[in-house]
Amino acid sequence: RPLIEQSANNLDNFGHGYMLLALQAYLPSLHPLDCEINKEPNNCESAKGWSLTLLYLSLLMFAIGEGCMRACIPLLGGDQFSNDDPKETHLKSTFLSWIKFANSVGALMGLVFLVWIENNLGWALGFMISALIVLVGLFVAASGLPFYRTQKPNGSPLKGILQVLVTSSKKRQVATIDVIELQEIGAADSVDGEGKYDSKSTGTTRVEELTKAITQMLPIFISCLLIYLPFTLLMTLTIQVGSTMDKGIGAIQIPSASLIAIPTAFHMLMQPCYRQILTPLLKRFTGHTHGITPLQSIGAGSVCGVAAACLAALVETRRLTVAEQHGLTSTGAGVPMSVFWLVLQFFLLSIMDAASFSGLIEFIKSESSPEMKLVAPAAQSIVAGIAAWLACAFIQLVNNASRHGDGGRGWLDGADFNRTRLDRFFLLLAALELVALINYAFWARRYAKTQQSSGTGLVGDSSEN
């Protein structure tokens, strides 16, 4: 279907998800009894039965809407500009930068205003306002229908990937085919006509080229998966640790849910700074159009991830020391240490987010076929999603393994962060990110050399790492 229809449907999923959440938050029969989870974690009742099903359904609709929107909106905007006109090509690049900036602004406003509404006026009102905002966005997007450049769909990008899988499966059975059968197949193709044979040959060649390209890019995808895993845990745990610290700015207290506004603000400010300042500066030294190549961007983000994990371990060691000095290791009370100790690691994680995540998208766009370029944002989201699932399994693995020491208590056991050993866990994440970086550097350099020797690809314009 055309991108505008897909975008409208995804906005609709957004709205339905928020409406279901608002309904569940408003009706007492659809959610457990209210409780102070930070003060009485053992007395809070979990959602069960129909309430839990409705919650998962609303989150599923929200996830589908967000995931598809991330892929459709940039493509719909890109269709409004012609690649044949240099001016429109420049405008297209500017538009994509403004899209990222607008996403950050919207997230920042939600984290400040909507969180305040939910904390002070109720979750039901907060979700309902979110649904109304999505509905307004749908009407605004629909108002441009008479003016949009709409391109008819030219097949699915997934068709090529399925052809690769089918071709790979058939190649395993080639050895069982008799030579006489191959001759008969060749004779039949000759009888069918030269044009038909050429068409089949061309199609087979394209599938083989796509198979080769995906095979060469696969180690990069797996390496990025390992890079993203520590990032997911670092960002999540840093926000949770911040909720136990002093969140005051004078007389103003920052809500725990708004702490993610700090890296979001950094991400928002880095977009124009990178484009207007850093890119021209790097371009003078590297000669690359974008300052550095996509593979170098991913590597730079991973370096920031290693630094962020090491810094997180140092700050957590300091926080645990303060908690012990004030006798807070068994009470679970807030630690008298400013949350702004976390600003630098938030800044490093924001750089990693902007560099590594955007770098993978640009890598896919620059190295894949025109059909595959359309799924670049979706492919990046899939890699990040798998990394998030692996992060959950990694926490369980580390927690089970660490129970063999410290009196049978795991590093991450319990809801009291003053009794956990997050300092050790952050050091483990630093080691994991370093190993992931070394692994990535090997495969990135190998990929760059392969592309240089074959004279294809855009990353071969400058050496990696």
Side-chain angles (χ1 to χ4, degrees):
R1 291 180 298 175
L3 285 173
I4 181 59
E5 293 184 14
Q6 296 183 39
S7 301
N9 289 333
N10 296 327
L11 276 171
D12 192 43
N13 285 331
F14 253 137
H16 284 141
Y18 277 124
M19 288 178 185
L20 285 177
L21 287 174
L23 182 66
Q24 188 167 20
Y26 180 74
L27 297 177
S29 60
L30 295 180
H31 62 77
L33 297 176
D34 295 337
C35 70
E36 292 288 341
I37 191 169
N38 294 327
K39 299 179 181 179
E40 316 174 295
N42 297 326
N43 296 331
C44 292
E45 181 184 353
S46 60
K48 299 177 182 178
W50 172 246
S51 298
L52 185 61
T53 302
L54 186 61
L55 175 63
Y56 282 150
L57 178 61
S58 56
L59 293 177
L60 176 62
M61 295 185 67
F62 179 85
I64 293 174
E66 181 185 11
C68 296
M69 283 285 294
R70 287 178 181 270
C72 290
I73 292 298
L75 294 176
L76 175 62
D79 285 347
Q80 311 310 307
F81 305 94
S82 174
N83 294 326
D84 299 329
D85 188 344
K87 292 183 179 180
E88 291 201 14
T89 302
H90 176 72
L91 289 174
K92 179 179 179 180
S93 178
T94 304
F95 166 80
L96 294 176
S97 297
W98 277 108
I99 278 287
K100 296 177 182 178
F101 184 80
N103 287 337
S104 298
V105 171
L108 190 62
M109 293 177 63
L111 290 168
V112 174
F113 297 108
L114 288 176
V115 167
W116 183 88
I117 291 173
E118 290 170 349
N119 287 342
N120 294 275
L121 302 178
W123 285 85
L125 181 60
F127 287 134
M128 185 55 65
I129 292 176
S130 300
L132 291 175
I133 292 174
V134 171
L135 186 62
V136 171
L138 177 60
F139 285 137
V140 171
S143 65
L145 280 174
F147 312 104
Y148 290 141
R149 292 178 182 175
T150 56
Q151 297 185 11
K152 294 183 178 180
N154 191 21
S156 172
L158 298 177
K159 181 179 179 181
I161 300 177
L162 294 176
Q163 287 178 331
V164 170
L165 297 176
V166 172
T167 302
S168 302
S169 176
K170 287 183 177 180
K171 283 185 176 180
R172 294 193 185 100
Q173 303 174 2
V174 166
T176 62
I177 300 179
D178 191 82
V179 176
I180 299 177
E181 293 179 351
L182 287 174
Q183 293 176 348
E184 292 176 353
I185 293 173
D189 288 342
S190 299
V191 172
D192 288 342
E194 184 178 358
K196 181 177 178 180
Y197 179 81
D198 291 341
S199 175
K200 288 183 178 180
S201 178
T202 303
T204 302
T205 303
R206 289 186 62 186
V207 172
E208 290 177 349
E209 291 176 353
L210 184 60
T211 304
K212 182 179 178 182
I214 293 178
T215 302
Q216 291 177 346
M217 295 168 67
L218 189 60
I220 301 295
F221 292 153
I222 297 176
S223 300
C224 288
L225 186 66
L226 298 177
I227 288 175
Y228 290 171
L229 191 151
F231 169 83
T232 303
L233 293 171
L234 279 170
M235 184 65 79
T236 302
L237 292 175
T238 299
I239 293 170
Q240 291 183 335
V241 166
S243 66
T244 68
M245 303 171 71
D246 180 12
K247 301 181 287 297
I249 308 177
I252 302 175
Q253 287 290 323
I254 304 175
S256 299
S258 295
L259 288 177
I260 198 174
I262 299 175
T264 302
F266 280 134
H267 193 275
M268 180 183 67
L269 295 175
M270 277 190 296
Q271 294 296 332
C273 291
Y274 180 81
R275 181 176 179 81
Q276 301 297 331
I277 300 174
L278 193 57
T279 297
L281 184 63
L282 291 172
K283 187 177 179 180
R284 293 181 181 179
F285 294 98
T286 63
H288 193 272
T289 306
H290 300 290
I292 57 177
T293 64
L295 290 181
Q296 289 172 337
S297 178
I298 296 172
S302 182
V303 171
C304 291
V306 175
C310 293
L311 184 60
L314 293 175
V315 173
E316 179 61 14
T317 300
R318 168 68 179 170
R319 192 190 70 84
L320 291 175
T321 301
V322 172
E324 185 177 357
Q325 290 173 349
H326 289 78
L328 303 175
T329 53
S330 59
T331 62
V335 179
M337 179 177 171
S338 175
V339 73
F340 290 98
W341 278 77
L342 305 176
V343 166
L344 186 53
Q345 66 197 65
F346 271 136
F347 177 69
L348 291 172
L349 289 173
S350 300
I351 296 177
M352 182 182 181
D353 184 7
S356 293
F357 283 61
S358 300
L360 180 58
I361 294 176
E362 293 301 322
F363 169 71
I364 298 173
K365 288 182 177 179
S366 63
E367 297 300 308
S368 59
S369 62
E371 296 84 1
M372 290 293 295
K373 291 179 181 179
L374 299 175
V375 298
Q380 185 273 330
S381 297
I382 290 173
V383 173
I386 295 175
W389 279 102
L390 292 178
C392 298
F394 182 75
I395 287 179
Q396 294 294 331
L397 178 64
V398 172
N399 214 28
N400 291 334
S402 60
R403 287 195 179 106
H404 296 291
D406 291 338
R409 181 179 176 84
W411 289 354
L412 304 175
D413 272 345
D416 183 1
F417 279 90
N418 295 339
R419 299 185 62 190
T420 60
R421 295 314 306 258
L422 275 177
D423 52 341
R424 298 178 183 177
F425 187 72
F426 284 146
L427 282 176
L428 179 62
L429 290 181
L432 178 62
E433 184 68 32
L434 181 60
V435 171
L437 175 60
I438 295 172
N439 172 75
Y440 169 78
F442 170 79
W443 291 108
R445 183 178 294 274
R446 181 173 179 177
Y447 183 88
K449 288 182 178 180
T450 302
Q451 298 304 101
Q452 287 176 351
S453 61
S454 62
T456 60
L458 298 179
V459 295
D461 294 342
S462 59
S463 60
E464 302 304 324
N465 303 308

